[in-house]
Amino acid sequence: MTIIFDDEKEKKNLTELRKQEEEDLVQMIAEAKYGIPPINLSGVTIDNNALRAISESEARELEIAPFKVVGKNIHVAVRSPQPEKLESLKNYFSEHDFIPHFYMASTASLEKAWERYKEMSFASESRMGAVTISGEILKNLMAEIKNIDDIKSAITETEKDKTRTTSHILEIVLAGAIAVNASDIHFEPEENMVRLRFRLDGVLHEVMQLPLAVHKFINSRVKLISGLKITTTAIAQDGRFSVFLNETEINIRSSIMPGAYGESIVLRLLNPKSIRGKLEEAGIEPKLYEVFMEEIRKPNGLILLTGPTGSGKTTTLYSFLQKIYSDEVKIITIEDPIEYHLPGISQTQVEEEKDYTFLNGLRSALRQDPDVIMVGEIRDAETAKTAVESALTGHLVFSTLHTNNAAGVIPRLIDLEVNPKILVSALSLSIAQRLVRKLCNVCKKEKVITDEEMRTIKTIYEKAKNDGKDFINYGVDMNAPLKIYEAVGCDKCNKTGYQGRMGIFEAIKNDKDIEEIIVKNPSEREIKAIQAKQGTLSMREDGIIKTLKGITSLDEVASVVDLNEE
């Protein structure tokens, strides 16, 4: 006799058997291994209010299901209740004013709860504990914050007020950072506390120290609003979120990295207002400004900016693009990442994991028939060669390169295997820049010039004079008594003595003398000798002039430029 099995029936029986095996396993190990009770949700009424505590997508990703709320107590089924996962979930629910109680459940059990989401008619924005940052709340907080001391006072008051959630501390920190024009927020956990620091005008300043317990809640909230995995603590994660203030979108890039005492959090604030300043106000001296305008208005060529990270290269490039943009010009950028969105300009972002590199982005951009291309950075030989070839085929190309000064651009490109004979025709302008803090006009005071400082100033002046550059043309009379100023600190400048930043620049135009020397693979020293005769200031000279005009301090210039360089 032949027996024929019903395939569908057999599959169904096998599925049911596996479900029962998982259910039995949960009953066996829940308390024994994890110290929490087991639960089978198939016989439990699921409370819609409990489900509203978290979205369906987050619940499925985390493999959890809140199923009952009684007052502030919320009961949560968890498939894999590892201790670190339960700790993160505890922080999340506590942040939303719940006391969580955990149970271990099977996948089939959780599926029963997740199915209830389909029956619920509510928008994700209305769910309990929605993870948003209110622009209106930030606006109100900013009205009360004038300096770092105000931020510290507001956080201290919030810690005392038990009716306020820890999320309010994050709102104060964000509002305070925007109010004082901080570029970065740092939460740095140490053994017994968390250090909160702001980066103001490129320099970190400690705001206050927070309890470790507060950091756990802030960590969970930042992860949630940034779209990161709240239970992942062993690897670095990057995300982003936005806040809107008076119809202005401020993008905030979040970076979370594991450390010895907890995860370090850095939030970078990308405020569009910070790039709306006019190029004329960037600190570019008039003669150099004319050179910039002449070169960026040409139909083709390669213009390169150099400088360390954080020296303002991207902001300068954006200023160039805004200066030349019109309805008749097609501009494409390839960036890593897109820091600010510019209207009327096509911007793309590098994604290494998808093999969309600067090189691939540049090649794709060339097929889009652009007039102007901005490549965020030239990192390798292929990108360098393609950028040079693009400049030769009728495109104006902007990019950045890592060298110490403008004279280092040509040797660096030759190191990247660019043919010097082609470079002669492609390269238009090499620019180097640094950012220096501007002295606070309210509290700066005149400083007695030491003998060593006077020697430095005189040496730089004499070198400039020998090269045909007279400081009198830049508003500095070296025959009059010289004055320099130093930082003091007041309420207006957050006790730093500085307020705002500006650039110090140098540039090398690709003139006849430079063209003749490029094919000989010149050294930086040989290029500098020609640069000195072009009539524009070096960064040292630009910094000294800004010091003697009382715009910045000698210490500030010395921190970014070698004043004793031969």
Side-chain angles (χ1 to χ4, degrees):
M1 183 176 68
T2 303
I3 301 175
I4 300 174
F5 290 97
D6 183 335
D7 286 348
E8 289 302 318
K9 186 176 181 180
E10 188 171 340
K11 286 179 183 177
K12 185 177 180 181
N13 289 338
L14 186 59
T15 299
E16 291 300 321
L17 179 61
R18 286 174 177 166
K19 285 182 179 178
Q20 188 56 52
E21 286 177 347
E22 186 182 3
E23 207 66 61
D24 292 343
L25 182 63
V26 167
Q27 297 293 324
M28 189 188 333
I29 70 171
E31 294 206 32
K33 184 175 180 179
Y34 297 108
I36 62 174
I39 192 165
N40 186 340
L41 296 178
S42 61
V44 175
T45 301
I46 307 299
D47 185 343
N48 285 356
N49 284 329
L51 289 178
R52 286 193 175 94
I54 193 166
S55 70
E56 180 182 358
S57 61
E58 289 169 329
R60 287 182 179 274
E61 181 181 347
L62 295 170
E63 295 185 304
I64 67 170
F67 61 89
K68 182 169 72 172
V69 171
V70 180
K72 290 190 175 184
N73 294 286
I74 188 165
H75 299 262
V76 185
V78 184
R79 182 179 177 274
S80 180
Q82 303 293 336
E84 61 273 14
K85 181 174 183 177
L86 294 185
E87 182 67 21
S88 296
L89 290 170
K90 182 180 178 183
N91 291 338
Y92 169 69
F93 287 109
S94 299
E95 165 67 19
H96 297 99
D97 215 20
F98 288 120
I99 301 170
H101 303 273
F102 297 112
Y103 304 79
M104 186 175 181
S106 66
T107 304
S109 192
L110 292 172
E111 283 285 358
K112 179 182 181 296
W114 295 335
E115 283 298 313
R116 286 297 300 272
Y117 278 106
K118 294 185 176 64
E119 303 169 19
M120 295 166 57
S121 58
F122 69 95
S124 61
E125 289 79 14
S126 68
R127 81 169 199 265
M128 197 176 298
V131 285
T132 57
I133 297 290
S134 167
E136 194 61 34
I137 290 175
L138 295 187
K139 185 178 176 182
N140 293 336
L141 286 168
M142 285 171 64
E144 302 171 6
I145 294 173
K146 305 300 179 191
N147 51 49
I148 285 178
D149 288 340
D150 292 340
I151 300 169
K152 186 174 180 179
S153 298
I155 292 175
T156 303
E157 287 301 314
T158 297
E159 288 179 312
K160 292 178 183 176
D161 188 348
K162 300 302 181 185
T163 64
R164 293 213 168 156
T165 62
T166 311
S167 63
H168 190 62
I169 293 179
L170 181 59
E171 289 164 349
I172 293 170
V173 170
L174 286 172
I178 297 168
V180 301
N181 294 317
S183 61
D184 302 87
I185 300 167
H186 294 246
F187 294 95
E188 301 164 331
E190 298 184 9
E191 187 173 6
N192 300 312
M193 56 81 184
V194 177
R195 200 177 302 279
L196 171 62
R197 297 200 288 175
F198 285 179
R199 190 177 293 280
L200 298 170
D201 297 327
V203 178
L204 281 171
H205 297 273
E206 183 168 322
V207 179
M208 65 182 299
Q209 297 176 1
L210 299 169
L212 284 171
V214 170
H215 179 259
K216 291 180 180 179
F217 293 117
I218 289 175
N219 188 8
S220 296
R221 186 157 176 80
V222 167
K223 284 182 176 180
L224 284 163
I225 60 181
S226 302
L228 306 178
K229 297 181 184 297
I230 65 172
T231 57
T232 298
T233 59
I235 60 172
Q237 298 188 78
D238 296 312
R240 66 189 304 151
F241 60 97
S242 298
V243 296
F244 288 85
L245 289 172
N246 300 324
E247 299 182 355
T248 297
E249 181 182 9
I250 298 175
N251 286 308
I252 300 171
R253 280 169 36 199
S254 53
S255 172
I256 296 181
M257 185 176 71
Y261 300 107
E263 291 180 289
S264 173
I265 305 169
V266 176
L267 305 177
R268 186 175 186 195
L269 282 64
L270 303 174
N271 191 338
K273 290 183 179 178
S274 64
I275 63 161
R276 287 179 186 164
K278 295 180 180 179
L279 190 60
E280 297 90 333
E281 299 169 357
I284 306 167
E285 58 91 3
K287 185 168 183 178
L288 186 59
Y289 180 80
E290 289 175 11
V291 172
F292 286 180
M293 290 303 98
E294 179 186 347
E295 296 301 326
I296 69 175
R297 285 176 175 149
K298 287 183 177 178
N300 59 277
L302 177 62
I303 296 175
L304 294 175
L305 267 77
T306 75
T309 301
S311 61
K313 299 188 300 295
T314 301
T315 301
T316 301
L317 284 176
Y318 281 165
S319 298
F320 286 162
L321 296 181
Q322 290 174 316
K323 200 75 179 175
I324 62 176
Y325 171 75
S326 74
D327 292 338
E328 300 172 351
V329 177
K330 170 76 170 182
I331 301 176
I332 297 178
T333 72
I334 306 105
E335 304 174 55
D336 183 22
I338 296 173
E339 295 194 3
Y340 303 99
H341 293 281
L342 303 174
I345 293 174
S346 301
Q347 296 174 265
T348 65
Q349 181 166 312
V350 168
E351 292 189 65
E352 298 281 355
E353 63 275 9
K354 296 181 181 179
D355 199 31
Y356 186 67
T357 61
F358 280 120
L359 177 60
N360 293 336
L362 178 54
R363 287 172 174 167
S364 298
L366 290 169
R367 292 192 287 270
Q368 294 275 314
D369 189 28
D371 299 294
V372 180
I373 305 171
M374 186 191 99
V375 183
E377 184 183 341
I378 292 176
R379 296 176 179 171
D380 55 69
E382 284 301 312
T383 307
K385 291 175 186 176
T386 307
V388 169
E389 290 167 5
S390 303
L392 289 173
T393 54
H395 303 90
L396 182 59
V397 181
F398 295 100
S399 191
T400 68
L401 199 64
H402 279 293
T403 66
N404 290 325
N405 48 47
V409 167
I410 293 169
R412 176 64 179 146
L413 288 174
I414 293 173
D415 285 345
L416 289 172
E417 302 173 8
V418 174
N419 187 331
K421 294 180 180 178
I422 295 176
L423 188 58
V424 167
S425 303
L427 185 63
S428 299
L429 193 64
S430 306
I431 305 168
Q433 75 172 80
R434 301 289 188 273
L435 289 177
V436 292
R437 292 180 293 171
K438 295 190 290 185
L439 286 164
C440 174
N441 287 323
V442 173
C443 63
K444 70 178 182 181
K445 72 173 184 178
E446 189 176 341
K447 176 184 184 296
V448 176
I449 305 177
T450 66
D451 292 342
E452 184 180 349
E453 290 170 338
M454 184 61 79
R455 279 195 298 272
T456 298
I457 292 169
K458 291 286 188 181
T459 300
I460 293 172
Y461 167 68
E462 291 297 333
K463 173 69 167 63
K465 188 177 179 181
N466 291 337
D467 292 331
K469 292 173 274 191
D470 194 338
F471 282 11
I472 194 69
N473 296 325
Y474 303 95
V476 175
D477 185 357
M478 293 297 291
N479 295 317
L482 300 181
K483 294 181 181 180
I484 65 173
Y485 295 81
E486 64 182 350
V488 178
C490 64
D491 289 340
K492 186 179 179 183
C493 61
N494 287 299
K495 305 291 194 300
T496 65
Y498 297 93
Q499 195 168 39
R501 288 190 290 177
M502 71 188 314
I504 56 175
F505 298 86
E506 68 180 20
I508 301 176
K509 190 176 177 180
N510 196 24
D511 62 10
K512 181 175 178 292
D513 292 332
I514 291 292
E515 288 177 359
E516 288 178 357
I517 201 173
I518 285 179
V519 294
K520 300 175 183 177
N521 194 0
S523 66
E524 283 190 26
R525 185 179 293 275
E526 291 173 303
I527 296 169
K528 283 180 182 179
I530 297 175
Q531 174 192 8
K533 305 301 181 183
Q534 289 190 343
T536 57
L537 299 173
S538 69
M539 282 191 291
R540 289 197 311 161
E541 294 159 356
D542 196 13
I544 288 297
I545 286 172
K546 287 180 169 72
T547 299
L548 294 173
K549 292 173 78 170
I551 298 171
T552 189
S553 68
L554 193 61
D555 288 342
E556 187 67 12
V557 174
S559 71
V560 296
V561 178
D562 182 2
L563 296 178
N564 298 309
E565 182 183 21
E566 294 183 5

